[in-house]
Each structure stands twice: as structure tokens, then as C-alpha cells.
Amino acid sequence: MAEHSDPNAPWKTVSGIGTSAVTALLFVFFLQYLPIVAAGEPVRWVVPWIPSLDINFTFWIDGLSLMFALLITGIGAMVMLYAAKYLAGHPQYDRFALYLFSFMLSMLGLVLADNLIALFVFWELTTFTSYLLIGFSHTDPKSRRNALQALLLTAAGGLALLAGFILIGITQGTFEMSELNAAGSLVGKEFYTLILFLVLAGAFTKSAQVPFHFWLPNAMAAPTPVSAYLHSATMVKAGVYLLARMHPSLSGSDLWVWILSIFGAVTAVFASFMALRQTDLKQTLAYTTLMALGTLVMFLAGSTGYAITAAMTFLLVHSLYKAGLFLTIGIIDHATGTRDANVLGGLKSAMPITAAAAALAGIAMAGIPPFLGFIAKEVAYAGALEMHLWLFVVPMALIAFALMFAVAGIVAYKPFFGPQGALPHEPHEGPWPMLLGPVTLGALGLLFGLLPGISAYYLIEPAVAAVMGAPDVGGRVKLWAGFNLPLLLSLVTFGLGYLIYLKHQGLRERLARIEAKSPDLDASWDVFLDKFMGFTKLQTKLIQTGVLRQYMFATFAVFALTVFVTLMARDVGGLTLGLGGLGFMEWGVALLIIAGTVLVLLTSSRIVALVGLGVVGIGVALIFIMYSAPDVAITQLLVELLVVVLLALAFLKMPNLDPTGVQKHNFANAVLAIAVGGLTTTVLLLVVDQPFDRRLTEFFEAASWTQAFGRNIVNVILVDFRTLDTFGEIAVVLVAALGAFALLKGAAKARAVKEDKK
Amino acid sequence: MEALTAIVIGVLTAASVYLMLARNFMRFLFGLVLLSNAVNLTIFASGRMTKGAPALVPYGEDAPLGVVGNALPQALVLTAIVIGFGLLAFTLALAFEGYRRMNSVDTDEMRFAEPKEDTTK
């Protein structure tokens, strides 16, 4: 299936333009909240969902969620327009548009939800919709496998997250994020460590931190617009969003600082080396996304104003340039038929607008002034210097940023301004719907950098305030912060980055050799899945034997065990056997029933077994007669007669009980049977030992004549007070009769028809 | 009498469990019949047993005179007996048709829904 469009196919379809227009309208809708939120007034809507469990669809717009909402809808609208042209003429384009739009809505719900359970629902919805998007080229087995890998990993993390959320709800008594953050830190509270680990499991799998990173580069199997969207502002940022959202509640402990710093830094540095190693530009960008996620996590480890400002600024910058670059790569791929970094070069004359857009995004990525990317890097160094583990964080940030500088050159400079390569197609400029996104995003990166005060006031500072849980002092986002250590570090970054760019081809080969020798987590994943499938097969084989006796045995054994354990745990004390004062009649009836039972148990003859059953039935009826239940006794006798007749009729046409004539007994079955019987007797003895509450019976005795005008209380209960019960009983008998009739007559008829046909 | 009934119920239950674990489906049906009886007696006995005083309101009175048998469990047992009969009749039809189709009453052989896995594979 071709990923690319037919250039002549109509692309202005309802599913293409329509979804993009609706998303753009949403973007405008959220824009109106900018001044309100910037003035420090969060907006909140509540729609009750399950009020009894304190679960609501609460939507909460503060600086953090508004920044995400704008990125999601803004970039979403441009990506949808781009995709309409990129995939025009694709036979399943409508399906794609549906997936992408659903994903956009889920993501929007995720960042706006204030209730943790609602947030979890949206979280899982993004997992499912991204699964559909990554596996969009469903005829390709690799695409399906990678989609499944992303689904399993992130969904497993999602389950851990749910457990964490429930623990938070138990500890704090509310699921509303705004109330939790206002109530202060969870550090030191009950379950804090467990909650932290569970939430981090969710966030780290979603945001692809090492060692859960391997699904992200594989997710590049998706069409390029999807990668642009999922890996810029959305899907993978969900984990970062969650860490930022819960920052006021969870941050501050040593555990938080150490885990986030180390995992973030390792992910960032590992990913930037891997980005350098790739030759497919899309894979390179995938790893730079990982680098960005690692950096964001690393800065969220801190709690100082500079660290958080660094995270929020970098988040904004990264979303803009990464979406732009992905879209640019899509245009290059579209126009030249290749994404190979070694081949691409000299495209600037054929694709001037694309080149300009790429340059804008590339400069932002490299962090060169006056772009917002430069400011982000300055603030990041300032934040890193303030962090607890600065001795570790600063060098890691330096390495990552320098590599980023080099990769920016590879991705955005070399294909356009580098030496000409041998291209599969003659390059041509992209169509305007595909250029609009990258150009706008690139221009915004420059504009935000030139107007740092405005971008800080409306976007960054409200987000910082939301993450810190306190009004922000602001004033950190400046194009010129004076001669200081961060500026010096920036200059070092540029120098080091340029050096790496010059030497990158040699470095790439060396990295490839190292990679070949290191363990492959992606391959281990397949082994793990295979082993897991083997285990489930074994489990099914053990549990689901297909033998009825084993199912029955397990059922009775579990029953016996649970009753036994409960009796032991409750420490019920001694049993009293009140067998005194019983006459000849009582003992006689009891022995009669037992004799009948033993007869059924031990005989190999069908007729003798029927006689035994009859004896038991009559014995039970005798108990009813003796103990004041004549109506029950009559019914019992009647039914017992019918049972014996029916069984006799059927058994005449069925084989003997034991084909060999000798009954085989089973010791284990006998032990279990005696255990179940003994426990039943014990429980019943305990029940009758308790004082009896006759209130209900007294009501019926008093009301039988006065309210229902009947003197036989049992009958009155059946036909008056519990009429519906009796009606249900009649229905059951009717259904059983119909069922039996259909089974016996219907099947016989079907057989007759079959024989006729023969 | 409740204590003696409890022992009888224990015997009935043990026997029905043993029969329901047998391979022969007809024995399983015997177990079902015995289990119905055991359950009915359990409901009856846990409502306490009163000798020789049916739950009737004498003519000219508004309520029974003195202690009479507990009417409520009796009503419940009446319903249970009938439903138990319906269940047995249907199961019997099922067993009978099953035997006609599979020509066996051995539950190890009657594996229409969960056939044995092909071991030759």
C-alpha cells in the first residue's frame, strides 16, 4: 500500500478539511482563555459521572493544560490539513481521519481532565487511538507488530497508573487534581513510595524513558503526519504532562529527584547519541524526541523556578520545531522518494520554502539566538545549575544539547544546503497545504523568541505557576540575560556541537559498531512475548482441561476450602449437638433418608438407584409432614413421583450405570465429598445455634388474615405477598418445558429431515 | 430435630457431591436430585422446625393462636421444589439428547464444546 498521495487525487474532502477546520475552531476557542488564565484565574467545569464514587468529568483549564490544549489543537489542525494532502487518494483515508481526530479529542480530554479517573480513561483512549494510528498500514506485519508493542507497553503502564491513582484517592479522599495539589505534598504520607513508583511506571512507559524507550522509534512505522503529531505535542508528552500536573503533589522527595534526574538524563544522552547514529531522517527525529522527553523529565526533577521554567519553555519550543521538522521530512520524502541522510543534499533551489521552514525549525532546535530555542537552553542551564544533582545534570545537559546542535545540522541544514546527492526522483516544492504547517511553526519559534515577554506572560509563566502550585515571580524568560555561566555554557555547546557536526559521519560508524555489540531490548521484547504466550498456553492447558469432573472437583474444592478457612478464621468455638428428646419417628425418618442415599451411592442398577431416590424423597416429605408443613409435603410427594417417572422413562433408553457391571470408586472424590458434607452440617449447626429473628414471620402471621384475607399463611405468602416470585417460578417451569420439548422433539425432527435427504 | 436434620443434610450433600464427580452423567443427575433435597431441607431447617402446628389462622381469629410453624421458609421451599424440578427435567432432556447424539453417557467422552486437542499435531 502506498503511503503517499496521488498528486492528482482530490484532497479537499470532508474528512480532511472538515476535521482540520473543527480542530482549528477548537484552537480559537481555547485562545480566548489565554488572558483569563494569564491573569491567574483557572477555569473549571464539572459534569457528574459516578457521583457515588466521587468520579466526575471535571475539566480544569490552568496554565499547564491551556498550553497543552493550544499545542494539541493548533498543531492538530495543521497536521490534519497536511495529512489531507499527504494521504490524498489513499483508499482508507477516511478511516485515518477518524483515528486522527479521535486521538486529538482523547489527548485534549487527557490534558483538560481534573479528575484522576477521567484522566485515566482519556489516557487509555490515547493509547488505543495511537495503536490504530501506528498500525495504520495494517497490511505490513512490521507495522502491526510495532503498534502492538506500543499498545502493550503503554497500556501496562496505564494499569500501574490506575493503581497509583486509586491509592491517591484512598490516601487523600479525593480524585480531583486541583484539590489534591491545593492540599499540599504527598511526600511522607502513607503509600507515598508506592504511589510514586506506580505513577512513574505509567509516565515513563508513555513518555518512553530508558529502558521503556524502544517502542518509540518503532512507532515511526506510522505515516509521517502521525509521527509529527504523536511525537511533538501529544502522545509521548502525556507522561511529561502527568509528571508536571502532579508535580505539586509528588515532587520534593529525594526519591523523586534521584529517579527523575537519572532516568531523564540517561534517556536524553542515550537518545542524542542514537539520533546521531541513524541515517533515516525520520528515525533521527524519533530519537531526538526521546532526547527531548528525557530532558523534560530531568528538569521536572527540580522544584526551583528556573528548573520548571526550563521544562515549560523547552516543552513549547520542542513541540513547535519537532512538529515542523517531521512535516518537513514528510515533504522531502514525498518529493524525492528518500529519507536517507547520506543521499539527501542540495534541495534548497528546488524546494526554497521547505528549506526556509526547515531552517527556522533547525535553528530553534540548535538553540541559536534570537529564537525561543536559545532562551530555552539558557534557562535550562540556569535551572540545571540550581538543581540538587547539578554536578551530574549540567554535564549531561551539555552533552545532550551539543549533540542536538549537530543533529539539527544533519536534519535541517545538510539536506538543503549540503552537497547534492543522487536522488530517486527530481525534487519539487511541496503543495501549500503541506507547507502551511512547517512554515507557521517555524515562524512561531522565531516570533516567540523575539517577543519573550509576551510568550512568557501568556504561555510559559502561567504553566510554570500551575506546575509549581504557586504564583510565579516570572521574569526569567529573557533573550539577553547578561554575561553569566549559562551563556558561557551555551557558547561551549555551539562549539562542541559544530565539532560533532563536522565529524558526524565518522562518529556514526563508530556508534553503529557499539550498537551492534550492545544488548538489543527490542529483540528481547519479542523473546519476552513468545515466552509469555507459551506460559499462557500452558496455563490454559492446566486450567481448561475440558473434563467436566475436573471442573466440578475444582468448584467443590474451592467451596470447601473457603468455607473451612472462614470457619477457622472466625474462631467459631464449640458445636452443640442437640440430639436429645428425639423419638422413634424422628430417628426412623432420618435413617430412612440415609438408607435411601446409601442405596443410590452404591448400586450399579438403574432401577435400584431410582428406588433409592424415591425413598429419599418420601423421607424428606415425611419431615415436612411432621414439622408443620403439609403444603410443602404434598408438593414434595407430587414432584418426587414425577421425577421418578421421568428418570425411569429416560433411563429405559439409556445404557447401564457401569458398562462392566462393577462400580469403580474414587478415594479423592470420596474425601472431598465427605469434607463438603461435613462442612455443610457444621455451618448449619452453627446457624441453628444462633438466636432466631422471627420478625418477618410475625408480620406474615399478623397480616395474613387482616390484610390478605387468607387463613393458610404459606399460601397467602405465595399468591399474595410474594406473587412475583411465584410468577417467576411458573415462568421457569415453562421455559424448562419449552427447552426440553425443543431438545427432544426438535432434534428428532431435524434427524428425520436429514435422513429423508439421504 | 434441627441437629439431626443437619446431619441428614450433610449425608445428602456428601452423597450428591460424590455422585456429581462421577464419570457417568446419569449419576450426575442422581446427585442433582439429592442436592435439591439437601438444599430444600437446609432452607426449612434454618427457619427452625416446629412440630405439629401448621401455619394456619383459625376461624374467627385474626392471627394464629400460639406458636405455629415458620411460614416463610415453607413458602420459599415450595418455590424451590418446583424450580428444582424444572431444572432436573431440562437437564434430563439435555442428557438424553446428548446421549442420542454422542452415543455415550461418559462425561470424559462427551466433549462436544471442548473437543480433545489433536495430539498428532
Side-chain angles (χ1 to χ4, degrees), chain A residues 583-755:
Chain A
F584 168 73
M585 282 286 281
E586 282 85 358
W587 283 107
V589 171
L591 290 176
L592 188 69
I593 296 177
I594 292 170
T597 311
V598 172
L599 208 60
V600 181
L601 264 183
L602 297 181
T603 182
S604 289
S605 153
R606 288 167 293 175
I607 296 301
V608 175
L610 279 180
V611 171
L613 285 180
V615 168
V616 171
I618 288 171
V620 173
L622 282 175
I623 293 185
F624 290 142
I625 291 177
M626 278 156 47
Y627 287 90
S628 322
D631 302 277
V632 185
I634 294 169
T635 316
Q636 168 77 14
L637 279 175
L638 219 73
V639 164
E640 208 52 50
L641 200 72
L642 275 172
V643 166
V644 171
V645 170
L646 277 182
L647 284 176
L649 271 175
F651 287 179
L652 277 178
K653 298 188 175 174
M654 285 162 84
N656 275 317
L657 287 177
D658 299 297
T660 53
V662 184
Q663 190 183 357
K664 280 184 235 156
H665 285 285
N666 181 316
F667 182 70
N669 288 355
V671 171
L672 180 62
I674 290 167
V676 173
L679 283 167
T680 310
T681 302
T682 312
V683 169
L684 201 58
L685 285 174
L686 288 169
V687 167
V688 294
D689 219 26
Q690 297 294 312
F692 187 60
D693 183 355
R694 264 186 80 95
R695 268 180 300 175
L696 213 52
T697 305
E698 276 158 13
F699 163 77
F700 287 123
E701 284 172 354
S704 177
W705 174 250
T706 50
Q707 289 182 24
F709 306 104
R711 293 192 181 278
N712 184 331
I713 302 172
V714 177
N715 287 3
V716 168
I717 293 176
L718 281 174
V719 300
D720 207 308
F721 294 116
R722 301 184 61 85
T723 321
L724 270 180
D725 245 21
T726 310
F727 182 73
E729 166 199 331
I730 296 168
V732 167
V733 173
L734 199 69
V735 168
L738 280 174
F741 179 79
L743 261 174
L744 299 174
K745 283 286 171 196
K749 245 184 205 165
R751 248 196 306 277
V753 171
K754 229 180 192 174
E755 307 239 315

Side-chain angles (χ1 to χ4, degrees), chain A residues 391-409:
Chain A
L391 216 55
F392 169 69
V393 171
V394 173
M396 293 300 255
L398 184 70
I399 298 171
F401 281 128
L403 283 163
M404 213 41 22
F405 182 90
V407 173

Side-chain angles (χ1 to χ4, degrees), chain A residues 28-48:
Chain A
V28 175
F29 171 78
F30 284 114
L31 268 186
Q32 62 163 327
Y33 288 102
L34 268 182
I36 304 172
V37 171
E41 287 171 52
V43 185
R44 191 164 189 255
W45 301 302
V46 184
V47 184

Side-chain angles (χ1 to χ4, degrees), chain A residues 47 53 63 176 184 193 213 253 351 370 441 467 479 517 562 566 574 653 659-660 703 725 741:
Chain A
V47 184
L53 292 179
E176 304 292 325
T193 314
H213 61 282
S253 66
M351 310 171 74
L441 293 168
V467 177
L479 204 47
K517 279 185 213 151
T562 43
T566 312
K653 298 188 175 174
T660 53
D725 245 21
F741 179 79

